[in-house]
Amino acid sequence: MATTKEWTRLLLNIVGLLSNAYGFSSLTGIFPPDIGFGGLFQFLTIIGLTLATITFALKIIRFVIPNALEDIYKSVAYVTTPMEGLITLLYWPMVIYSKDLLQHQEVPFVLPLPLDMSLHLWPAVLLWIDFLLFDIEFVRSKTHIYVIYIFTLLYLGWSSYCFARNGFWVYPFLAEFSTIGRATFFMLCGNVCIGMYEAGKKT
C-alpha cells in the first residue's frame, strides 16, 4: 500500500503533467504560422517541455508499476531536471531585461503569464521539488554527465542547422556571438546543467 509521501509525489507529478499539457495545448495561435524550419522544436523550451512531459509520465507509470522502465527513466529524468533548471535560470532574467533577446521584432508574440509560467517555470519547480524531496533512488552517474554534454552538442548542431536553413537564429541573442563564442556559451550552459546535477543528492 502506498504511503502518504508516495501519494504526495504522485499528485505532484500529475500536476506537472497537466501543467505541461496546458502549455502544449495553449501554444496554438501564439506563434506565426511559419516560424521556419524546425518549427516549435527550434526552441529549447519546447524540447525541454517535451522531455519534462515524458519524465512526469514515467514517474506516474512507476507509481503504478514500481521500477518500470528503470533505464529509460533514469536517462530521461536525471538529464531533464537540470536542463529545465537551466531554461528557467536563463529565461526569466533575459525576458525581464529585454524580450528582444529571445524573440525577433519582425515576428513578435505574446505569452500570457499562465502560459509563460507553464513553459518556463513550473516544469523546473515541480521536477526539482520531486528530485530533492522524493527521489531516494538517485545515484550519481558519469553516464548522466556524458548525456548532458552530448545533448548540449546536439542542440548546438541542431540550432546551427536551423540557422543555416532559415537565415536567422531561433533566439536573437545568439546572433551576437562569434562561432567560437556561441560554442563557448553552449558549453558553459552544459556545465551549468552539470553543476545543478552535482548539487543533487549523492550516494
Side-chain angles (χ1 to χ4, degrees), residues 47-58:
I47 296 173
L49 192 70
T50 302
L51 292 174
T53 302
I54 293 170
T55 300
F56 287 129
L58 286 171

Side-chain angles (χ1 to χ4, degrees), residues 91-172:
Y91 178 80
W92 290 104
M94 285 188 178
V95 81
I96 290 170
Y97 177 74
S98 174
K99 290 185 178 181
D100 292 342
L101 294 171
L102 297 172
Q103 62 177 254
H104 296 274
Q105 294 180 348
E106 299 82 3
V107 283
F109 55 88
V110 177
L111 296 178
L113 184 59
L115 174 58
D116 209 357
M117 296 178 74
S118 75
L119 297 177
H120 299 110
L121 182 63
W122 298 133
V125 170
L126 296 172
L127 284 173
W128 274 97
I129 289 174
D130 180 272
F131 178 57
L132 294 175
L133 298 185
F134 299 109
D135 200 339
I136 60 174
E137 307 161 342
F138 174 68
V139 178
R140 183 189 176 281
S141 169
K142 288 184 178 179
T143 300
H144 302 149
I145 294 175
Y146 296 149
V147 172
I148 290 172
Y149 274 131
I150 290 169
F151 177 86
T152 301
L153 292 173
L154 286 175
Y155 186 67
L156 172 60
W158 169 243
S159 59
S160 298
Y161 182 63
C162 289
F163 166 74
R165 293 286 300 268
N166 296 326
F168 58 85
W169 291 97
V170 61
Y171 297 115

Side-chain angles (χ1 to χ4, degrees), residues 19 21 30 35 63 93 126 149 155:
S19 174
I30 295 291
I35 58 174
F63 174 84
L126 296 172
Y149 274 131
Y155 186 67

